[in-house]
């Protein structure tokens, strides 16, 4: 009986591992919001990293977080390194690697052992308002566990992106 249960368990693990290779390796999470401000104002807030702690859904959750900024104030090369013991924040780095004025800001994220990703903000003019899209792209790797985690990324990160965009909107609109 024990041998039969073990055989079924091993077969189930093999099937689940094989099925995982059908799932995409590359994962993208994306959320958008409309902000009542000109595109130049929204772009200026996101082309530098120093205001990130004011609206980030993660950085604000740890009052003891350590933030270190380097490089230029804004644009390519601006870098933020954070260190936190909070389980939802952790430690990592973000560096702006591409920027097109009033169109997009692209950052490379390094989460250490938890992996790397590319985050981007893209901007579209909507009359007197700006539509901002925040996206994250990452490679979940070849492992079956990573592929299954990829299926959950939108649910895991999407709500935080929505919260961050709402905070960004409130901050920008409050400052006029």
């Amino acid at each position: 009986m024990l041998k039969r249960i073990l055989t079924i368990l091993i077969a189930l693990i093999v099937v689940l591992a094989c099925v995982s290779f059908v799932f995409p390796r590359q994962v993208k999470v994306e959320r958008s919001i409309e902000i009542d401000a000109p595109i130049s104002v929204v772009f200026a807030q996101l082309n530098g990293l120093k205001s990130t702690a004011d609206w980030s859904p993660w950085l604000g959750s740890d009052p003891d977080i350590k933030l270190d900024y380097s490089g230029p104030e804004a644009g390519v090369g601006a870098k933020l390194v954070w260190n936190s013991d909070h389980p939802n924040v952790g430690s990592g780095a973000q560096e702006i690697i591409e920027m097109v004025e009033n169109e997009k800001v692209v950052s490379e994220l390094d989460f250490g052992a938890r992996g790397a990703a590319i985050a981007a903000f893209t901007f579209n003019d909507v009359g007197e308002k700006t539509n901002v899209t925040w996206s994250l792209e990452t490679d979940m790797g070849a492992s079956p566990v990573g592929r299954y985690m990829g299926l959950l990324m939108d649910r895991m990160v999407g709500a935080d992106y929505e919260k961050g965009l709402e905070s960004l909107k409130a901050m920008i609109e409050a400052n006029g």
Side-chain angles (χ1 to χ4, degrees):
M1 181 71 163
L2 184 60
K3 185 176 178 181
R4 184 179 194 129
I5 291 172
L6 189 58
T7 302
I8 291 171
L9 188 61
I10 290 172
L12 181 63
I13 290 171
V14 169
V15 168
L16 289 174
C18 290
V19 167
S20 74
F21 292 106
V22 174
F23 303 143
R25 184 177 172 140
Q26 298 292 325
V27 174
K28 184 173 186 176
V29 176
E30 187 173 87
R31 295 293 189 274
S32 297
I33 197 165
E34 195 169 275
I35 299 176
D36 190 11
I39 203 166
S40 60
V41 171
V42 178
F43 175 80
Q45 280 295 319
L46 296 170
N47 189 37
L49 299 173
K50 290 198 176 177
S51 71
T52 303
D54 297 333
W55 60 267
S56 168
W58 301 286
L59 299 183
S61 61
D62 180 4
D64 297 324
I65 193 168
K66 292 174 183 57
L67 303 175
D68 182 38
Y69 301 94
S70 61
E73 289 285 317
V76 175
K79 187 172 184 175
L80 165 62
V81 175
W82 68 91
N83 288 295
S84 171
D85 293 327
H86 192 286
N88 292 339
V89 180
S91 298
Q94 176 178 3
E95 182 174 358
I96 296 175
I97 59 170
E98 183 182 353
M99 176 274 296
V100 177
E101 190 166 348
N102 296 333
E103 288 184 28
K104 68 180 173 179
V105 176
V106 181
S107 296
E108 185 174 61
L109 298 166
D110 179 0
F111 300 109
R114 295 191 300 179
I118 298 293
F121 290 99
T122 55
F123 311 95
N124 291 304
D125 197 357
V126 186
E128 297 294 312
K129 299 178 181 185
T130 303
N131 183 280
V132 179
T133 299
W134 187 10
S135 64
L136 173 87
E137 292 185 54
T138 189
D139 182 343
M140 298 308 294
S143 82
V145 173
R147 298 284 180 98
Y148 279 104
M149 291 298 293
L151 295 176
L152 303 173
M153 282 295 286
D154 193 74
R155 278 185 256 152
M156 292 183 337
V157 178
D160 288 335
Y161 268 36
E162 291 169 11
K163 180 180 172 187
L165 286 170
E166 287 292 338
S167 294
L168 178 67
K169 174 183 173 76
M171 180 183 80
I172 290 173
E173 291 178 356
N175 292 332

